[in-house]
Amino acid sequence: SLIRETPIEVDRKLMEVNFFGTVALTKHLLPHFITRKSGQFGVISSLVGKFGSPYRSSYAAAKHALHGFFESLRLEHFEDNISVTMICPGFIKTDVSKNALTADGTPLNEMDKAQENGMSAEECANQIFKALANKKEEVYIGGKETMGIYLKRFVPTVFTKILRKSEVR
């Protein structure tokens, strides 16, 4: 939902699921990785963890927060041989848009056109597997939407104009 329509309780719920849930699991596993002097975190973020998008403010915020947290973890535990792979999928044909929360906190129950036409979950999983096997620090998975990363970085004003015109819901 739009920011102005979303109660803070819904924002908090999205942060709880998409940020704090991952952090809690990480804090449980981290001592074991430190003891073993080995481990790898494969963190499912999103392309909107790299840039915002209309109707996805709190989701984008939670995914941005994951990047900050895990970049810090990567630096803090380099000597412990612990690696982090940030996985940033774009439009993958899953039910993520159906499960997206509306302003009142209920699921949208609709498939976005972009999700419907997105990469198969199987192909996404194959690319995730390769990224983990190669211990990539960050991987962008999807179709042409992955170009948004580079547009945002090198021509941010152009990228903003493109996003304003895009159909995101």
Side-chain angles (χ1 to χ4, degrees):
S1 57
L2 297 171
I3 292 168
R4 71 174 182 264
E5 299 170 350
T6 309
I8 191 74
E9 295 79 21
V10 174
D11 297 314
R12 287 181 192 277
K13 185 174 184 177
L14 285 162
M15 289 298 291
E16 195 64 45
V17 170
N18 290 291
F19 176 69
F20 288 112
T22 302
V23 168
L25 180 59
T26 299
K27 287 186 177 240
H28 181 76
L29 291 171
L30 186 59
H32 302 287
F33 286 0
I34 292 169
T35 299
R36 290 179 46 211
K37 291 285 190 194
S38 176
Q40 181 179 17
F41 289 100
V43 183
I44 303 295
S45 177
S46 170
L47 289 181
V48 297
K50 303 298 282 181
F51 53 80
S53 175
Y55 293 97
R56 291 165 176 80
S57 58
S58 293
Y59 180 77
K63 297 302 185 173
H64 274 74
L66 286 174
H67 284 263
F69 182 87
F70 281 96
E71 286 171 10
S72 295
L73 187 146
R74 181 187 292 127
L75 293 167
E76 290 177 9
H77 291 284
F78 175 79
E79 297 296 327
D80 295 318
N81 197 32
I82 297 170
S83 63
V84 174
T85 300
M86 295 301 297
I87 301 156
C88 305
F91 299 123
I92 309 301
K93 195 171 181 178
T94 67
D95 286 346
V96 69
S97 60
K98 288 182 180 181
N99 295 319
L101 299 184
T102 61
D104 67 5
T106 60
L108 180 63
N109 288 321
E110 289 178 28
M111 177 75 81
D112 281 358
K113 284 182 189 176
Q115 294 298 141
E116 181 68 37
N117 297 320
M119 175 185 285
S120 74
E122 293 78 14
E123 176 58 26
C124 180
N126 287 333
Q127 290 190 30
I128 290 170
F129 181 80
K130 286 179 193 172
L132 292 169
N134 292 315
K135 295 198 173 191
K136 297 272 188 179
E137 284 195 7
E138 194 163 278
V139 63
Y140 312 127
I141 300 172
K144 64 183 179 182
E145 70 274 14
T146 61
M147 294 307 297
I149 299 291
Y150 306 102
L151 290 171
K152 167 79 172 169
R153 180 172 181 158
F154 296 111
V155 285
T157 304
V158 172
F159 180 66
T160 298
K161 288 178 183 176
I162 292 168
L163 268 184
R164 275 192 218 125
K165 293 177 183 178
S166 68
E167 185 180 322
V168 295
R169 186 166 174 197

